[in-house]
Amino acid sequence: MTEAVLLVGGQGTRLRPLTINTPKPMLPVAGVPFTVHQITRARDAGVSRIVLATSYKAEVFRSFIDDADLGIEVVIATEDEPLGTGGAIRHALPHLQSGPDDPVLIFNGDVLSGLDIDGLVRHHRETGSDVTLYLTPVEDPRAYGLVPTDADGRVTAFLEKPQTPEEIVTDQINAGCYVFRRSVIDRIPAGRPVSVERETFPGLLSDGALVTGVVDRGYWLDLGTPLSFVQGSCDLVSGRAPSPAVASTGDALVLAGAQVAASAVVRGGSVIGRDAVVGPDAVVDGSVVFDGAEVAEGARVLGSIVGVGAVVGAGSSIRGAVIGDGAVIGRGNELLDGVRVWPGARLGDTSVRFSSDA
Ligand code: GDD
Ligand code: MG
């Protein structure tokens, strides 16, 4: 039996305002909460029990898991105060049934990847590692944990979010999935915040523990920012990213009850949520439209997220923007790169005439 801990307690600050009411791993991606993609991938790799390490908005996970049947045992652990990534792993320990030398998988809760999970566990066993890390090369590693390895694949340092150019010693980053020997979890201090990246990993290296890395060059994405969230969703819909929770892939996913006008164009892996409406001549490209939202006649939504029940008025154009739940964008507005509209906010109509006003 292989057990896993899924770290889902972060506040998802970079995805505000979407994460004000919904924790990041519970945001819908390709029709289901993001966490379902991760849980079903782990299940298919042979994980039979998963501990959800929750903190922020734990009740949202609890009510979902109570009703869901994901074909795997899911246990919820909740920290009273956020304990950080290492503290959350330690807090999950009483919920684990593995023996001291058994491998326990740890997943960051916002990573979409094509990793061969079973292969990572095999590597961990074969090398007799204390901890095995999944690594991936990225173009700009500054937003991540840098993990250089030697010729034998042994991790030589761990540099979380490097600040100076001298610290950028590799393009290999911590891809957010580890195998821990269970007894290594026992040694993480309990009852206080611990960062696995800033404290546990560097500590293991200075204690001479065997920490190895497996570099995988397949699909990898951290869905922590609005741009990457949209990208991940589109990649799942179009089949570029693998998930057992996506039944069929294509140019768009239109969920039950949604109405898309015949003259509208929905493409680029976009999702149109349940009961959402896309009006005549509207274009939704590479975007996520949440349940009950409306993209009115002639509006253009590119690379953006439209929150639950939000409205993009006729002829408005939004690109690279996040519209919070229930917000209303009047007619003829233009919202570009990086704009975030808070839930329930209202933007009036502009005086620009919309073409069908004539
Ligand atoms: N339970 C619990 N409690 N979970 C937490 C806590 C906590 O206090 N803090 C963070 N998490 C969870 C988040 O929900 C997320 O799933 C995961 O831990 C990582 O946190 P992020 O906030 O997403 O970290 P990051 O993206 O800046 O960096 C991490 O991931 C990168 C790869 O995506 C680090 O692990 C980097 O080293 C790594 O490169
Ligand atoms: Mg992240």
Side-chain angles (χ1 to χ4, degrees):
M1 177 178 94
T2 309
E3 291 185 296
V5 177
L6 185 52
L7 300 173
V8 290
Q11 298 207 2
T13 317
R14 289 167 298 171
L15 271 177
R16 277 190 200 146
L18 298 172
T19 46
I20 290 175
N21 301 319
T22 309
K24 172 165 64 173
M26 285 300 295
L27 288 171
V29 179
V32 294
F34 179 70
T35 201
V36 172
H37 299 290
Q38 283 192 308
I39 293 175
T40 54
R41 281 202 88 241
R43 177 200 66 199
D44 287 5
V47 174
S48 48
R49 218 164 153 269
I50 203 155
V51 181
L52 277 189
T54 63
S55 164
Y56 179 67
K57 302 235 170 266
E59 67 284 358
V60 181
F61 293 94
R62 209 169 281 280
S63 59
F64 174 74
I65 292 297
D66 278 351
D67 296 338
D69 178 11
L70 301 174
I72 176 174
E73 185 185 353
V74 181
V75 180
I76 297 188
T78 302
E79 298 139 50
D80 293 334
E81 297 294 329
L83 291 172
T85 47
I89 298 169
R90 177 62 181 79
H91 182 263
L93 179 65
H95 300 276
L96 296 173
Q97 299 170 350
S98 299
D101 280 325
D102 288 343
V104 176
L105 276 155
I106 315 288
F107 295 98
N108 281 358
D110 59 351
V111 168
L112 184 59
S113 88
L115 171 71
D116 171 8
I117 297 170
D118 190 39
L120 191 74
V121 177
R122 263 198 322 275
H123 179 95
H124 177 82
R125 288 187 200 275
E126 282 162 16
T127 53
S129 297
D130 295 301
V131 173
T132 305
L133 285 89
Y134 163 33
L135 309 176
T136 195
V138 293
E139 236 163 68
D140 181 0
R142 285 174 299 176
Y144 305 103
L146 268 58
V147 188
T149 46
D150 68 14
D152 300 325
R154 193 165 174 155
V155 172
T156 55
F158 202 105
L159 302 145
E160 183 68 13
K161 316 267 161 68
Q163 300 295 317
T164 61
E166 295 76 53
E167 286 180 300
I168 308 199
V169 294
T170 176
D171 66 350
Q172 263 174 211
I173 61 145
N174 165 19
C177 171
Y178 330 115
V179 188
F180 270 63
R181 182 195 298 279
R182 201 221 69 196
S183 59
V184 172
I185 301 178
D186 303 0
R187 295 203 291 275
I188 299 174
R192 70 159 170 90
V194 177
S195 160
V196 79
E197 298 89 349
R198 294 180 196 275
E199 183 174 339
T200 310
F201 290 143
L204 285 166
L205 294 180
S206 55
D207 290 350
L210 180 56
V211 181
T212 56
V214 173
V215 181
D216 185 299
R217 294 172 191 280
Y219 186 93
W220 182 85
L221 193 66
D222 173 318
L223 273 72
T225 65
L227 271 183
S228 64
F229 180 85
V230 169
Q231 174 85 50
S233 180
C234 294
D235 287 348
L236 280 163
V237 168
S238 62
R240 280 190 296 271
S243 167
V246 177
S248 67
T249 57
D251 213 25
L253 175 64
V254 178
L255 298 174
Q259 294 170 45
V260 177
S263 59
V265 176
V266 179
R267 65 179 173 221
S270 297
V271 178
I272 308 299
R274 289 175 190 81
D275 302 320
V277 175
V278 180
D281 301 322
V283 176
V284 178
D285 193 353
S287 295
V288 183
V289 175
F290 283 172
D291 294 354
E294 182 188 349
V295 177
E297 181 176 1
R300 298 176 67 82
V301 175
L302 307 179
S304 296
I305 307 169
V306 182
V308 176
V311 176
V312 178
S316 282
S317 182
I318 69 166
R319 192 181 73 208
V322 179
I323 312 298
D325 296 347
V328 177
I329 311 300
R331 296 156 72 90
N333 283 281
E334 190 174 42
L335 302 179
L336 301 180
D337 308 328
V339 168
R340 296 173 191 217
V341 178
W342 238 242
R346 301 183 85 84
L347 258 73
D349 296 342
T350 68
S351 53
V352 176
R353 286 179 77 88
F354 173 52
S355 55
S356 73
D357 286 352

